[in-house]
Amino acid sequence: MKLWNHYHTPHSIDQALALLNQYQGKAKVVAGGTDLIVELREGHHPIQEALIDVTQIPELTRLTTTDNEIYVGAGITHSEIVKSAVLAARATCLVESCGVIGGPQVRNVGTLGGNVAHALPAGDGTTSLVALDAEAEIVMNGQRRVVPILEMFRGPGQSLIDSTRDVIIGFRFALCGDNEATAFKRIMRPQGVALPILGCATWVRLNPAQTHFEVARLSITPLGPTPGRAAEVEDVLIGQPATDITIEHAIETALQILKPRTSKYRATGDYRKEMIAVLLRRTLQLAVQRARTGQAIPEGIGME
Amino acid sequence: MSKLNITVNGQIHHLDVPESRTLAQVLRYDLGLTGTKIGCEEAECGICTVLVNGTPVNSCIFPAFKAQGREVQTVEGLAHDGELHPIQQNFIEHGAVQCGFCTPGLMMTATALLNENPDPDDHAIKVALKDTYCRCTGYASVIAAIKSAASEMRGEGPLPVNEPDVSEPMHAISRSVPPQYVREKVTGAAKYTDDYCFDGMLFARTLRAAYPHARILSINTEKAKSLPGVVAVLTHADVPGENLHGLVYRDWPVLCGDVVRYIGDAVAIVAAETEDIAAEALKLIEVEYEPLLVVGDPKFAHSPEAPVLHPNHPTGNLLKHIKVRHGDIEQGFAQADYIVEREYRTPTVEHAFLEPECSIGIPPGVEGHEKLTILVGSQIPYQDRNQIALALGLPEEKVRVIGTLIGGGFGGKEDITGQIHVAMLAQATGRPVKMLYTRQESLAVHPKRHATIIRMKTGATKDGKLVAVEAELYGDGGAYASLSDKVMTRATTHATGPYVVPNAKIDCYAMYTNNPPSGAFRGFGVTQSAFAVESNMDMLAEMIGIDPIEFRRINAQKVGTTTATGQVLRESVGLLETLSHVEHDMVTSDGDFRWAWRDGHKAYAWGLACAYKNTGLGGGAPDRAEAEVEAFEDGSVEVRVASADMGQGLAHVVAQCTAEELKLPYNRVRVLLCDTDLTPNGGPTTASRQTFVSGNAARVTSALLREALTRSAAEFLDVPPETLYYEEGLLRHNGKSVELGQLVGWMKANGLSSKVRHEYHAPATQPLGTGGDMHFAFSYATQAALVEVDMETGAVKVLKIIAGTDIGRAINPLMLQGQVEGGIVMAMGNCLTESYIVENGIPWTNLLSRYKMPSIKHAPEIISHLIEDRVSTGPYGAKGVGEICSINTSPAICNAIYHATGVRIFSLPVDQDALLRAIRAGQTEVYTAWHDVR
Ligand SMILES: Cc1cc2nc3c(=O)[nH]c(=O)nc-3n(C[C@H](O)[C@H](O)[C@H](O)COP(=O)(O)OP(=O)(O)OC[C@H]3O[C@@H](n4cnc5c(N)ncnc54)[C@H](O)[C@@H]3O)c2cc1C
Ligand code: FES
Ligand code: FES
């Protein structure tokens, strides 16, 4: 079955915008197509007049480090993220989350931009970008803008941007420095769709003596219609000793305030609660250990 | 149309193709490179994998114009100048090719891996191949093949093949010869139905029911007919013969005219110039329905409130009540010191063969065919022909069914799918017509494994003797009978397990519902009842305080046992031997064996289960197969049977039988399968029967040919026939000899035939209830599973399976081991990952992405022992293997989960969510499965 009529591969953002403009809502941006083309085939969208492939635009395919910051083009594939030594060492959670998306064939074409634009409540790449407190560079309504990652989501499957008109250019975030580290883990079920029961990315900064949590960012998904941070749980950690006891306090708080839902053929709310505890414990312990040792080797790539 | 410049396998192409093409479409349609297969078009199965600039991608979702200016490598590019690539060669050597439909994808993914990593370990291979599925092999051979290829490519030579030990190998029998067509399968030259194209061929699509149960008020096809490019639109009114088909009961309309009974029912069919036009035309067909009350489950079907789905069926929605009565259960339970009674549930399971159904109809007079000809990868070509002929109102001789290669079947390609429809459309249009199901259509249409509800009560004495079994089974037969009658009979007659049970009362109710039909699926109902039997066995063993292995040993069937159907087992009962092999590996060879242990938050445990499974149709059905064997002047021999090879390896089995009887080199024997004009009837490829019946047919017919050849050679050489012997294609008498080919030439010149046709009749069986031999052979198995349960998440992993399988004789040890490994991994899916969910007649499982089968990452270590307890009537002692390896895996895993966690699973597939909640709550029984999470 034909799913689109024309296929364009612009080489600049301006060209891409011009093409989108030309098709007046009847064309969509495509990157790896691992969400879009599958959904087109399932009939979720009408046949597109054109697909605008953004993966040949230099700004979208750049991965550059400046000082303590990194820029990841929206068209960077999950495989490229997994192969990046800088990301593995200093944004480990992103590598761990992009490393478990699909299989190699999907990771070889699927992009971080596509993961964010798809706006699922528990997209794996997205979960880690939230913990990394990333910013997205976008062109929206013809205007270039930089927005905090959490502003990119409007609802389940609903992005701030309209991919018949707008383009995500890339993401920027601070790389982990001394006493900082991240970790990501998720729980899948062996049955049904490839959406995690629960995903959890944590970012921690210890004090210079490495005895206490200084700052923490926790991204647990799905807990609502859009990705979000567990701010009250983060508060429990801040300033407290970086020990298992503190982590257990944080988990207690999480279990009191977070209300995961039951979703059909995925998980019961009760099970998700159990998994919040398990994943917070596992990722926080791992992140603390990584922050202390300054060593981070991504876990679970390609298998979890 | 736009210019697409791509390099494919080193060759530059400048193509003019629509921008809407996917890369797979360009490869298959525009370049004719049909080695790249399509299994789902959802980026799920990975079998469409090709390399773009060296990187593996799913070509089914890869826009062709994304490959503009790039290099593409497909399976056709692996071999050079006829010399196979080490990956191809090692896939053959290590037995990693069964149906072959996944093989191109697996090999391309492996190629990319070895380009990057010349020495991958198991983990690296699993990561690379995680989303490239194979439904046949169980992956162990695939991993071995890739490691061996890597070693060869590093210049260290191939690795040894893990060949199982067998006893008394013969000339060609019990030898691991390569399967037939395997070279074609690894080079991409093998042709499955969708790989055929004919001039002027039309594309067909089917309009399916809009409701699971509804009355059809009107059908209007006018708009569809007037769409340009549409050549024919047919409905029930256009069925020339009887508008029904069905394998056991003819209850299934070719095209529905009055009522639709499930969502996969066909209402109209369209043939058009392109697939897109055909799909467009479906939207223009107007059907008015009056929705009716949906019968969504078998228990409701049995209630008086349920509408009767087949008014002509004498027992209403009760498709069949099957009874086993043996001894006196009241007396039996009165003797019992311990009784266990529980209810078990098993889900509907989908075959998910990787090749979706495809049929091509060719009208008489076209493409050189004299008859209406149907190309199809079917398990039962002669019954296809019969059903096509009846629906078209033609005599059977006017219809020819040619079987193509089959990309997996597992029982799911026994019923009619598109065969009659393409015949009608070819007849109506005078042109060849192809109907290829999408994966999503395949999921909705073909019969599945029966969902069951099984209440099982088992009693034993305190010294561990089984005394009685009482069971009640409900099977969801779905909208049409298909093979429900036979499948549920097998579930019932095997519901005592492979044990001596003096008293039994078993009742099975196969019900009509508005769910997709249920039919044959590897295991044929025994998979379901074995789950209940073997779980009860473990519970009883624990109550009695006896070792589960010992408990089974005490009760095991032996020669002399009378089964619950009254059959006295006279030979070939290898159960105890399978048990002791497994026990040896699990217990004896492990210095400090424990059933269960802990390591941090991981719990580890072993579980064990036994099984038996009949070979052949049994129950009084005449079981026969005919073979034709012909010797040629070039010294080759062709053996012809109309039995299907869906990857399980029937073709090499018959070739080996012929090579054995004529003492010919195996590569001198060709096999022609499944052509109703050229090959005699082999009967259905089901019930693990083909090695036995078609193997015997090939054996006996070849022996008859040998006699004819011997007589001629005696005359030719002028020596007494008794003194002649066969050796490597020669007929010898000391000093004198004649080549087979030369002899055939002499026979021809003298008006003698070098062709023999013979029908083999398997030993007679008796119907259920008459007390005689219901089956002519049973295969036996014991399996032990080692599982790891994450006590914090409930996640279950199978680490190892030890299998002992009594198959009488291993005709091809390596390929047989592949059957065992594949059967085990498929059964792990049944236990842990698979459930085809239907919500009141509407499948939730409408996409492959909603149906997870085991991938390579689930593949456990498998240690397989082949036990060869010969059956005297089998070919060289062989009996069935296809199913026995896939029956007791689920209960072995669940018994292991119980040992690990103290929680027993009563409903499949295992739900880690419920398991964890039970562990937390201190509950010991879980009665819900994954699909109950709502
Ligand atoms: C088998 C399989 C398994 C998967 N498993 C996982 C998983 O485990 N976890 C997970 O999170 N996801 C998973 N996915 C989903 C998917 O692969 C990811 O979400 C992927 O990151 C999407 O990226 P893409 O480049 O393929 O997006 P596309 O499909 O190309 O695009 C997705 C959407 O984003 C828009 N878009 C893409 N790029 C841009 C851009 N730069 N600017 C504006 N709009 C844009 C498109 O218009 C479209 O609406 C899986 C998919 C498959 C097929
Ligand atoms: S992934 Fe492409 S056909 Fe299945
Ligand atoms: S051989 Fe892999 S699917 Fe059949």
Side-chain angles (χ1 to χ4, degrees):
Chain A
M1 269 289 280
K2 186 168 72 174
L3 305 174
W4 62 88
N5 285 319
H6 298 286
Y7 199 85
H8 298 283
T9 312
H11 288 269
S12 73
I13 292 173
D14 288 345
Q15 267 180 24
L17 294 173
L19 281 162
L20 288 169
N21 192 33
Q22 177 193 324
Y23 283 102
Q24 285 296 313
K26 298 211 165 81
K28 257 187 196 292
V29 170
V30 70
T34 60
D35 279 322
L36 180 60
I37 294 177
V38 172
E39 287 189 357
L40 279 168
R41 199 160 261 139
E42 286 167 23
H44 290 313
H45 312 285
I47 293 178
Q48 297 294 303
E49 201 37 48
L51 294 184
I52 314 298
D53 184 333
V54 293
T55 60
Q56 303 286 313
I57 301 172
E59 270 187 275
L60 273 83
T61 55
R62 239 180 21 224
L63 201 148
T64 42
T65 316
T66 40
D67 298 332
N68 286 326
E69 199 184 72
I70 192 159
Y71 168 84
V72 182
I76 292 285
T77 65
H78 301 303
S79 292
E80 288 166 327
I81 288 169
V82 170
K83 282 189 191 133
S84 159
V86 162
L87 289 173
R90 300 180 66 191
T92 321
C93 65
L94 188 66
V95 169
E96 288 174 323
S97 60
C98 295
V100 294
I101 289 177
Q105 295 95 324
V106 165
R107 292 195 295 275
N108 285 341
V109 296
T111 64
L112 191 57
N115 200 265
V116 171
H118 199 218
L120 288 182
D124 287 308
T126 303
T127 300
S128 284
L129 284 177
V130 169
L132 290 164
D133 202 22
E135 289 175 333
E137 278 189 42
I138 59 175
V139 190
M140 194 174 150
N141 270 323
Q143 303 287 311
R144 267 195 190 240
R145 292 175 51 186
V146 175
V147 298
I149 188 72
L150 285 175
E151 280 181 28
M152 288 296 292
F153 312 104
R154 282 283 159 89
Q158 278 181 307
S159 168
L160 171 71
I161 59 135
D162 172 354
S163 59
T164 67
R165 182 192 66 197
D166 308 328
V167 175
I168 304 179
I169 301 169
F171 307 94
R172 244 175 239 291
F173 50 85
L175 290 165
C176 288
D178 291 345
N179 308 317
E180 294 173 351
T182 63
F184 168 89
K185 292 208 178 288
R186 71 174 188 181
I187 298 288
M188 294 292 278
R189 64 160 59 243
Q191 308 95 358
V193 291
L195 290 172
I197 285 176
L198 202 79
C200 178
T202 46
W203 179 96
V204 300
R205 178 192 295 154
L206 305 183
N207 61 348
Q210 297 191 332
T211 53
H212 287 66
F213 289 108
E214 217 170 78
V215 194
R217 292 195 295 263
L218 305 177
S219 164
I220 306 172
T221 58
L223 283 177
T226 58
R229 293 249 304 270
E232 294 102 318
V233 187
E234 293 171 359
D235 290 345
V236 177
L237 296 168
I238 291 169
Q240 296 303 307
T243 58
D244 286 355
I245 295 169
T246 307
I247 292 174
E248 292 308 317
H249 282 313
I251 290 170
E252 272 166 40
T253 307
L255 294 183
Q256 276 162 24
I257 57 169
L258 303 178
K259 298 270 177 292
R261 291 194 318 156
T262 295
S263 40
K264 190 163 99 172
Y265 307 144
R266 272 174 78 194
T268 60
D270 287 346
Y271 183 73
R272 280 204 164 116
K273 270 198 141 168
E274 295 277 358
M275 291 311 101
I276 288 175
V278 171
L279 291 187
L280 271 178
R281 189 177 300 121
R282 291 183 182 177
T283 54
L284 277 170
Q285 287 175 346
L286 190 57
V288 167
Q289 180 203 326
R290 286 171 175 172
R292 287 207 171 116
T293 58
Q295 298 272 320
I297 297 163
E299 293 184 358
I301 302 301
M303 284 298 271
E304 291 306 311
Chain B
M1 294 287 192
S2 298
K3 270 266 174 291
L4 177 66
N5 305 317
I6 49 171
T7 305
V8 179
N9 301 327
Q11 199 181 332
I12 300 170
H13 294 274
H14 305 284
L15 301 169
D16 245 334
V17 294
E19 289 177 27
S20 59
R21 284 276 202 267
T22 62
L23 183 53
Q25 289 164 344
V26 165
L27 294 170
R28 289 181 56 83
Y29 308 150
D30 300 310
L31 295 173
L33 295 171
T34 53
T36 299
K37 302 299 178 205
I38 308 264
C40 69
E41 299 198 287
E42 293 180 27
E44 279 294 320
C45 75
I47 66 167
C48 64
T49 300
V50 301
L51 309 188
V52 175
N53 284 359
T55 304
V57 303
N58 291 321
S59 62
C60 70
I61 61 147
F62 197 89
F65 280 78
K66 207 180 185 45
Q68 182 75 271
R70 302 200 197 172
E71 264 185 59
V72 178
Q73 204 186 341
T74 72
V75 64
E76 288 91 347
L78 282 180
H80 278 293
D81 304 323
E83 191 167 326
L84 296 183
H85 187 281
I87 292 179
Q88 293 171 308
Q89 191 60 44
N90 281 286
F91 264 65
I92 297 178
E93 299 291 332
H94 289 265
V97 183
Q98 289 187 27
C99 81
F101 204 73
C102 68
T103 307
L106 286 172
M107 291 193 310
M108 294 319 291
T109 317
T111 302
L113 169 68
L114 297 190
N115 286 342
E116 256 187 30
N117 179 353
D119 190 8
D121 57 10
D122 280 28
H123 178 77
I125 294 172
K126 287 185 172 188
V127 168
L129 272 68
K130 179 191 152 251
D131 274 7
T132 312
Y133 284 84
C134 171
R135 193 61 159 162
C136 298
T137 61
Y139 303 105
S141 54
V142 173
I143 294 174
I146 293 172
K147 284 187 166 171
S148 180
S151 169
E152 202 175 329
M153 288 161 74
R154 293 194 306 271
E156 295 163 24
L159 302 177
V161 174
N162 175 23
E163 261 203 62
D165 292 335
V166 293
S167 61
E168 301 164 0
M170 302 166 70
H171 161 73
I173 296 295
S174 299
R175 303 277 175 195
S176 297
V177 297
Q180 300 275 312
Y181 320 113
V182 72
R183 199 184 160 89
E184 290 82 352
K185 287 176 180 178
V186 298
T187 55
K191 280 193 160 195
Y192 302 80
T193 313
D194 184 38
D195 300 334
Y196 289 86
C197 267
F198 299 100
D199 285 343
M201 191 171 79
L202 298 170
F203 297 87
R205 295 292 303 265
T206 309
L207 182 71
R208 304 283 166 192
Y211 299 91
H213 192 202
R215 201 180 324 281
I216 297 176
L217 303 177
S218 69
I219 306 174
N220 185 343
T221 60
E222 287 315 310
K223 285 186 193 153
K225 279 181 177 155
S226 57
L227 183 73
V230 170
V231 184
V233 183
L234 306 180
T235 67
H236 65 100
D238 305 302
V239 180
E242 203 190 344
N243 186 10
L244 284 174
H245 65 83
L247 285 167
V248 180
Y249 307 151
R250 295 176 50 76
D251 62 353
W252 197 334
V254 174
L255 288 166
C256 295
D258 48 359
V259 183
V260 292
R261 296 185 186 83
Y262 87 111
I263 213 80
D265 258 332
V267 177
I269 47 177
V270 175
E273 298 291 345
T274 69
E275 252 184 305
D276 283 356
I277 297 173
E280 200 53 42
L282 293 187
K283 295 186 204 148
L284 300 176
I285 300 172
E286 296 156 331
V287 186
E288 265 187 288
Y289 292 99
E290 178 195 331
L292 300 170
L293 183 62
V294 174
V295 180
D297 78 84
K299 286 214 164 162
F300 176 61
H302 212 172
S303 72
E305 300 87 68
V308 175
L309 301 180
H310 292 270
N312 293 336
H313 189 67
T315 47
N317 289 340
L318 177 61
L319 203 162
K320 178 99 176 185
H321 176 191
I322 303 136
K323 295 182 220 176
V324 168
R325 299 286 183 267
H326 182 56
D328 176 343
I329 56 154
E330 274 181 37
Q331 227 181 359
F333 281 115
Q335 292 162 17
D337 299 305
Y338 298 97
I339 295 175
V340 166
E341 183 174 5
R342 290 290 188 287
E343 187 170 279
Y344 297 84
R345 281 170 194 259
T346 68
T348 303
V349 178
E350 155 69 23
H351 307 78
F353 35 72
L354 284 175
E355 179 209 22
E357 297 87 338
C358 185
S359 311
I360 301 177
I362 305 171
V366 173
E367 294 286 338
H369 287 290
E370 283 167 25
K371 302 178 179 181
L372 175 60
T373 300
I374 313 303
L375 263 60
V376 61
S378 159
Q379 291 183 229
I380 322 187
Y382 272 84
Q383 255 154 311
D384 283 0
R385 184 179 72 164
N386 168 264
Q387 296 180 82
I388 295 165
L390 285 169
L392 271 86
L394 293 171
E396 287 192 16
E397 308 79 63
K398 296 268 185 198
V399 179
R400 176 179 182 186
V401 175
I402 301 178
T404 59
L405 287 178
I406 308 179
F410 315 110
K413 289 179 180 167
E414 298 194 20
D415 300 85
I416 287 287
T417 48
Q419 293 92 319
I420 298 174
H421 294 157
V422 293
M424 286 173 60
L425 288 166
Q427 201 75 321
T429 62
R431 292 167 64 177
V433 181
K434 179 189 280 183
M435 182 180 276
L436 169 67
Y437 284 7
T438 62
R439 169 60 58 186
Q440 299 71 37
E441 194 172 16
S442 172
L443 282 167
V445 175
H446 71 251
K448 322 259 172 249
R449 174 179 286 155
H450 292 73
T452 59
I453 304 166
I454 303 175
R455 194 182 52 75
M456 180 149 300
K457 180 175 168 188
T458 315
T461 62
K462 56 183 184 308
D463 43 343
K465 274 214 175 302
L466 288 172
V467 285
V469 166
E470 185 181 9
E472 182 189 79
L473 298 83
Y474 271 86
D476 185 347
Y480 299 105
S482 177
L483 286 153
S484 274
D485 176 334
K486 309 289 174 201
V487 173
M488 286 291 101
T489 300
R490 235 47 96 228
T492 314
T493 58
H494 286 68
T496 58
Y499 306 111
V500 181
V501 177
N503 306 290
K505 173 174 181 287
I506 306 161
D507 289 273
C508 175
Y509 306 95
M511 303 303 302
Y512 278 121
T513 67
N514 291 120
N515 295 330
S518 302
F521 192 138
R522 191 182 211 172
F524 222 74
V526 186
T527 317
Q528 292 94 311
S529 48
F531 173 51
V533 170
E534 292 296 310
S535 300
N536 267 13
M537 286 296 284
D538 257 31
M539 276 186 276
L540 272 175
E542 187 179 347
M543 288 166 82
I544 302 168
I546 187 171
D547 179 78
I549 301 176
E550 190 52 30
F551 184 44
R552 286 175 172 84
R553 200 185 330 265
I554 292 170
N555 293 288
Q557 289 183 351
K558 307 175 197 58
V559 170
T561 294
T562 305
T563 70
T565 67
Q567 174 164 4
V568 180
L569 301 171
R570 287 185 299 270
E571 59 167 352
S572 190
V573 185
L575 178 60
L576 282 171
E577 220 184 316
T578 65
L579 195 60
S580 58
H581 269 83
V582 172
E583 183 181 28
H584 176 269
D585 275 17
M586 175 173 77
V587 183
T588 324
S589 67
D590 176 352
D592 70 328
F593 171 77
R594 291 164 294 173
W595 280 99
W597 67 96
R598 282 289 177 90
D599 186 0
H601 63 272
K602 301 280 176 70
Y604 297 85
W606 287 97
L608 176 133
C610 296
Y612 76 140
K613 175 72 184 61
N614 63 294
T615 299
L617 302 176
D623 207 347
R624 48 189 175 226
E626 201 175 357
E628 185 173 274
V629 187
E630 181 170 0
F632 293 90
E633 285 170 69
D634 64 359
S636 69
V637 171
E638 183 166 274
V639 50
R640 305 176 189 124
V641 282
S643 313
D645 192 335
M646 45 191 161
Q648 89 282 28
L650 186 265
H652 61 247
V653 168
V654 295
Q656 285 177 270
C657 293
T658 296
E660 183 65 43
E661 291 304 311
L662 298 172
K663 297 288 178 289
L664 272 176
Y666 170 76
N667 61 13
R668 291 255 213 107
V669 183
R670 281 191 308 280
V671 182
L672 182 67
L673 294 182
C674 289
D675 182 326
T676 56
D677 271 19
L678 300 180
T679 60
N681 194 352
T685 299
T686 189
S688 305
R689 65 184 282 278
Q690 287 296 16
T691 289
F692 195 99
V693 288
S694 287
N696 262 329
R699 179 183 65 86
V700 175
T701 312
S702 302
L704 292 172
L705 176 65
R706 186 185 61 216
E707 284 170 22
L709 293 169
T710 309
R711 275 194 304 275
S712 293
E715 211 175 311
F716 179 84
L717 295 172
D718 196 18
V719 298
E722 321 75 76
T723 63
L724 278 166
Y725 60 98
Y726 285 66
E727 203 175 70
E728 293 297 302
L730 294 173
L731 285 85
R732 283 182 185 279
H733 166 85
N734 47 10
K736 289 182 177 179
S737 72
V738 57
E739 280 227 356
L740 177 62
Q742 192 189 355
L743 178 67
V744 171
W746 181 84
M747 289 169 78
K748 289 235 159 98
N750 288 278
L752 295 166
S753 169
S754 62
K755 179 163 87 177
V756 175
R757 193 185 253 238
H758 174 81
E759 186 171 66
Y760 166 79
H761 291 245
T765 57
Q766 302 298 321
L768 174 60
T770 60
D773 285 3
M774 225 191 129
H775 294 288
F776 47 71
F778 292 94
S779 299
Y780 290 87
T782 301
Q783 287 182 12
L786 173 62
V787 304
E788 173 196 287
V789 182
D790 184 326
M791 296 298 280
E792 291 179 0
T793 67
V796 176
K797 222 189 247 173
V798 179
L799 302 177
K800 189 170 180 173
I801 300 270
I802 303 171
T805 320
D806 166 28
I807 38 67
R809 150 88 75 177
I811 297 216
N812 187 325
L814 186 63
M815 295 315 288
L816 204 140
Q817 179 164 278
Q819 283 289 302
V820 172
E821 291 165 352
I824 287 171
V825 172
M826 186 173 246
M828 281 173 50
N830 181 73
C831 184
L832 297 174
T833 70
E834 299 177 33
S835 171
Y836 177 93
I837 304 179
V838 188
E839 297 171 335
N840 209 30
I842 312 251
W844 177 82
T845 313
N846 56 357
L847 298 165
L848 195 63
S849 60
R850 292 181 161 191
Y851 194 85
K852 290 276 179 289
M853 47 189 158
S855 81
I856 197 167
K857 81 167 185 181
H858 298 101
E861 180 191 353
I862 296 174
I863 297 172
S864 157
H865 296 281
L866 301 179
I867 283 98
E868 300 181 288
D869 195 334
R870 310 260 195 262
V871 59
S872 56
T873 49
Y876 317 100
K879 49 192 179 182
V881 63
E883 302 176 282
I884 184 63
C885 47
S886 211
I887 290 171
N888 44 341
T889 318
S890 294
I893 294 170
C894 288
N895 287 339
I897 292 173
Y898 174 76
H899 289 145
T901 63
V903 179
R904 188 161 281 287
I905 305 291
F906 292 92
S907 187
L908 298 178
V910 178
D911 176 23
Q912 68 191 38
D913 187 322
L915 176 59
L916 183 82
R917 285 181 285 118
I919 292 171
R920 283 276 181 274
Q923 286 161 0
T924 57
E925 305 198 338
V926 168
Y927 285 93
T928 59
W930 161 49
H931 44 258
D932 298 311
V933 173
R934 268 177 273 218

